[in-house]
């Protein structure tokens, strides 16, 4: 029985693309056409993933010391998104008493066969600071770690490394969290980076109201990029059935949406007002004539948007006009892109190789060998 285990430096995350240099662009008049052709390939994808993990750890470190006695944070790698089936990789942190935190990480006794940690992964857990199951009082069948609230930053870093390097979460967007008190009632907290809150209420009925608010925010003739950004934020948070403050904007100003093994970004541009919904479908791919022909054929079949290749990255992009902004148009673009990117990265990866945003190429395995969720 084997499992994924740390094989990358602390500042790197597994399974993300490498850094791609920004392509040189010639100066051109500030016309709508030039803006529409502006490539999002200047985004440093590896840095984005690393920053997402760092921000998750910082947010978690800020949240942990404020847990009331009996309060608890549950962090889970979403099995429906990660392909781990019945295997639930989770970490729970509880404030057992004033200024004392007990962390418990899932162990082999609660994992199904084929998803359990091998000896290397268990050694990695210990190296990260976890005590074996049953050693720390209250840990039971889980790995345990008991620290003071003053060590919240170190605990948050350990949890982040465990979820990423041992349990195989390629990005915080694959995590779901819930904060509860002693009575098992939800505790409202700020967002934990790009991890998704497990909201205790259903937001389906708020869709029409939120979209109506988005229309009011983005007045047709206003053309204000701040108002457009607020409207986009409202639409995306509603589509994700999340509170508006749970939709995180990264350092580039992009909203990040996980779509299976792909990542979709939503960026607001200001000259002219434009919302770009784009995804790095495949990286580290050789740009051949056969690839360009394939992308052209696929683009011709798409009802909206386009596929193209810059340097060694295949991109998918759907622009939405910001002037006279229509929330329904953005909803359509996001829906198309999330489905398209997750399907195309698998199809093109099988035909042209390269690397998907989340996940490495499947390694050759010995008969009977298993790996944890994100490496299946």
């Amino acid at each position: 029985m084997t499992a994924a285990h740390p094989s990358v430096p602390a500042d790197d995350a597994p399974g993300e693309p490498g850094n791609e240099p920004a392509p040189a662009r010639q100066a051109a008049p500030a016309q709508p056409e030039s803006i529409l052709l502006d490539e999002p390939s200047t985004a440093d994808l590896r840095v984005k993933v690393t920053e997402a993990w760092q921000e998750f750890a910082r947010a978690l470190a800020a949240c942990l010391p404020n847990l009331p006695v009996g309060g608890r944070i549950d962090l889970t790698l979403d099995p429906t998104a990660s392909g781990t089936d019945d295997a639930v990789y989770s970490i729970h942190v509880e404030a057992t008493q004033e200024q004392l935190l007990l962390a418990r990480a899932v162990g082999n006794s609660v994992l199904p066969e084929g998803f359990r940690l091998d000896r290397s992964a268990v050694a990695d857990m210990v190296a990260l600071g976890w005590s074996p199951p049953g050693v720390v009082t209250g840990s039971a069948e889980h790995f345990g770690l008991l620290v003071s609230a003053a060590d919240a930053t170190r605990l948050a870093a350990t949890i982040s490394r465990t979820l990423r390097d041992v349990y195989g979460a390629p990005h915080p967007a694959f995590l779901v969290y819930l904060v509860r008190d002693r009575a098992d009632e939800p505790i409202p907290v700020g967002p934990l980076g790009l991890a998704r809150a497990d909201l205790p209420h259903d937001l389906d009925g708020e869709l029409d109201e939120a979209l109506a608010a988005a229309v009011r925010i983005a007045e047709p003739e206003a053309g204000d990029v701040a108002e457009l950004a607020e409207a986009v934020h409202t639409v995306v948070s509603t589509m994700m059935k999340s509170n508006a403050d749970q939709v995180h904007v990264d350092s580039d100003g992009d909203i990040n949406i996980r779509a299976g093994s792909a990542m979709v970004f939503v960026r607001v541009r200001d000259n002219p007002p434009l919302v770009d919904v784009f995804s790095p479908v495949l990286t580290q791919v050789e740009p051949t004539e056969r690839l360009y022909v394939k992308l052209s054929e696929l683009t011709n079949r798409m009802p909206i948007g386009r596929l193209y290749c810059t340097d060694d990255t295949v991109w998918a992009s759907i622009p939405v006009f910001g002037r006279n902004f229509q929330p329904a148009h953005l909803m359509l673009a996001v829906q198309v892109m999330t489905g398209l990117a997750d399907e195309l990265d698998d199809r093109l990866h099988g035909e042209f190789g390269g690397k998907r945003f989340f996940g490495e190429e499947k390694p050759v395995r010995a008969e009977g060998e298993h790996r944890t969720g994100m490496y299946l």
Side-chain angles (χ1 to χ4, degrees):
M1 298 174 290
T2 64
H5 56 84
S7 58
V8 294
D11 292 335
D12 292 330
E16 73 273 19
N19 298 341
E20 284 76 34
R25 295 173 54 204
Q26 297 180 344
Q31 299 176 346
E33 290 78 7
S34 65
I35 300 298
L36 287 176
L37 293 176
D38 188 18
E39 311 294 2
S41 53
T42 55
D44 189 331
L45 303 179
R46 190 176 186 84
V47 170
K48 278 181 176 289
V49 175
T50 301
E51 288 180 346
W53 279 111
Q54 293 172 342
E55 185 158 0
F56 166 76
R58 286 193 297 267
L60 181 60
C63 180
L64 289 173
N66 298 319
L67 281 178
V69 174
R72 170 173 165 167
I73 295 180
D74 299 325
L75 296 158
T76 304
L77 175 57
D78 186 353
T80 61
S82 61
T84 56
D85 299 324
D86 296 329
V88 178
Y89 295 94
S90 59
I91 296 178
H92 314 282
V93 184
E94 181 180 357
T96 55
Q97 53 184 287
E98 194 71 27
Q99 297 299 301
L100 198 60
L101 301 171
L102 171 63
R104 299 185 303 133
V106 69
N108 283 339
S109 63
V110 294
L111 290 172
E113 186 176 355
F115 293 92
R116 295 171 185 164
L117 309 179
D118 67 2
R119 291 181 180 179
S120 296
V122 171
D124 292 330
M125 292 289 287
V126 175
L128 286 170
W130 296 98
S131 295
V135 173
V136 174
T137 302
S139 63
E141 70 273 19
H142 293 72
F143 290 89
L145 186 56
L146 189 64
V147 302
S148 70
D151 289 328
T153 298
R154 179 171 64 87
L155 176 58
T158 298
I159 290 172
S160 178
R161 288 294 307 274
T162 302
L163 290 165
R164 183 189 68 184
D165 296 339
V166 181
Y167 293 163
H171 192 282
F174 282 76
L175 303 177
V176 178
Y177 68 91
L178 179 62
V179 186
R180 297 176 289 183
D181 61 19
R182 186 191 297 272
D184 210 33
E185 293 295 325
I187 300 175
V189 298
L192 299 184
L194 288 173
R196 295 178 293 119
D198 186 5
L199 298 176
H201 59 280
D202 187 1
L203 296 179
D204 282 342
E206 301 178 15
L207 179 60
D208 292 339
E209 180 180 349
L211 293 181
V215 174
R216 291 193 298 271
I217 292 170
E219 293 295 335
E221 301 302 325
D224 187 283
V225 68
E227 293 180 348
L228 176 60
E230 184 179 355
V232 168
H233 195 276
T234 300
V235 173
V236 173
S237 63
T238 303
M239 291 185 69
M240 297 174 65
K241 297 183 173 62
S242 174
N243 288 332
D245 60 1
Q246 300 292 345
V247 176
H248 178 75
V249 179
D250 66 21
S251 59
D252 291 326
D254 300 340
I255 296 175
N256 297 234
I257 304 173
R258 189 200 67 231
S261 56
M263 178 65 87
V264 172
F265 300 102
V266 181
R267 175 179 297 177
V268 177
R269 303 180 184 274
D270 61 354
N271 186 26
L274 181 75
V275 183
D276 196 4
V277 182
F278 62 95
S279 175
V281 175
L282 206 61
T283 64
Q284 299 183 18
V285 63
E286 183 180 356
T288 63
E289 181 179 354
R290 187 167 66 91
L291 174 62
Y292 287 120
V293 170
K294 183 68 172 183
L295 296 181
S296 177
E297 292 175 351
L298 291 173
T299 296
N300 289 336
R301 299 176 193 170
M302 292 170 57
I304 55 176
R306 64 191 178 111
L307 293 166
Y308 55 94
C309 180
T310 59
D311 294 331
D312 64 350
T313 301
V314 173
W315 297 87
S317 176
I318 300 177
V320 176
F321 286 108
R323 197 174 299 279
N324 194 21
F325 175 70
Q326 299 296 318
H329 295 173
L330 176 58
M331 290 179 65
L332 175 61
V334 171
Q335 289 170 345
V336 169
M337 184 59 69
T338 52
L340 178 71
D342 189 31
E343 177 183 354
L344 276 181
D345 67 349
D346 292 331
R347 182 188 303 182
L348 293 175
H349 177 265
E351 188 170 351
F352 297 97
K355 184 187 292 185
R356 289 160 292 194
F357 192 88
F358 294 124
E360 303 281 358
E361 293 187 57
K362 296 181 181 179
V364 178
R365 295 179 291 169
E367 185 176 355
E369 184 181 353
H370 300 279
R371 300 183 73 87
T372 51
M374 294 315 301
Y375 294 86
L376 287 174

